[in-house]
């Protein structure tokens, strides 16, 4: 029975990640609409995000987006461009390629990120 639960959790995490990618794309499209047209879609977008978060919470999962946060070595992410920087560079998460997924017991799935130097 536990195997089925693990498979369902993995499938739910996959679906949540794809939903996260879709909502990021949708947010970019919303930014291109005029304010009058965007209002209804903005509200639907917020509702979509809220429902995804509620469904994940019911399953004991949570999506963590680190965009804009300082990069910390040892974080639950793989930085695709870490080799482009020196150890002395102060780095920030520029883009989440795939978010971190946490469960009630800890890390469920590590994320994937792109880094940039902190603006000075």
């Amino acid at each position: 029975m536990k195997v089925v639960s693990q498979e369902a959790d993995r499938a739910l995490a996959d679906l949540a990640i794809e939903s996260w990618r879709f909502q990021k794309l949708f947010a970019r499209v919303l930014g291109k609409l005029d304010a009058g047209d965007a209002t209804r879609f903005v509200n639907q977008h917020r509702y979509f995000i809220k429902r995804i978060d509620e469904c994940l919470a019911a399953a004991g999962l949570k999506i963590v987006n680190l965009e804009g946060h300082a990069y910390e070595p040892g974080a639950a992410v793989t930085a695709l461009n870490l080799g482009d920087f020196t150890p002395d560079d102060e780095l920030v998460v520029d883009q989440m390629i795939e978010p971190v997924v946490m469960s009630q017991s800890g890390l469920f799935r590590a994320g994937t990120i792109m880094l940039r130097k902190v603006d000075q």
Side-chain angles (χ1 to χ4, degrees), residues 49-98:
I49 293 168
K50 179 181 174 224
R51 287 295 299 143
I52 293 293
D53 289 344
E54 289 171 352
C55 291
L56 287 173
L61 298 174
K62 178 182 179 181
I63 294 251
V64 179
N65 184 350
L66 300 173
E67 283 181 358
H69 292 258
Y71 172 69
E72 299 175 21
V77 293
T78 300
L80 297 178
N81 62 339
L82 184 60
D84 296 346
F85 305 100
T86 68
D88 296 331
D89 289 334
E90 190 175 345
L91 303 174
V92 67
V93 176
D94 185 41
Q95 180 182 11
M96 292 289 302
I97 306 299
E98 191 169 284

Side-chain angles (χ1 to χ4, degrees), residues 1-12 108:
M1 187 67 131
K2 185 68 173 166
V3 173
V4 172
S5 177
Q6 290 173 348
E7 289 175 7
D9 286 348
R10 278 194 293 275
L12 181 60
F108 188 81

Side-chain angles (χ1 to χ4, degrees), residues 26-27 29-45:
F26 195 77
V29 171
L30 285 176
K32 296 179 181 192
L33 298 177
D34 17 70
D37 293 334
T39 303
R40 187 180 100 217
F41 296 114
V42 167
N43 290 333
Q44 288 176 334
H45 183 245

Side-chain angles (χ1 to χ4, degrees), residues 5-14 17 59-62 76 99-111:
S5 177
Q6 290 173 348
E7 289 175 7
D9 286 348
R10 278 194 293 275
L12 181 60
D14 288 344
I17 289 168
L61 298 174
K62 178 182 179 181
V100 175
V101 180
M102 299 296 294
S103 72
Q104 292 173 338
S105 59
L107 180 65
F108 188 81
R109 184 175 297 169

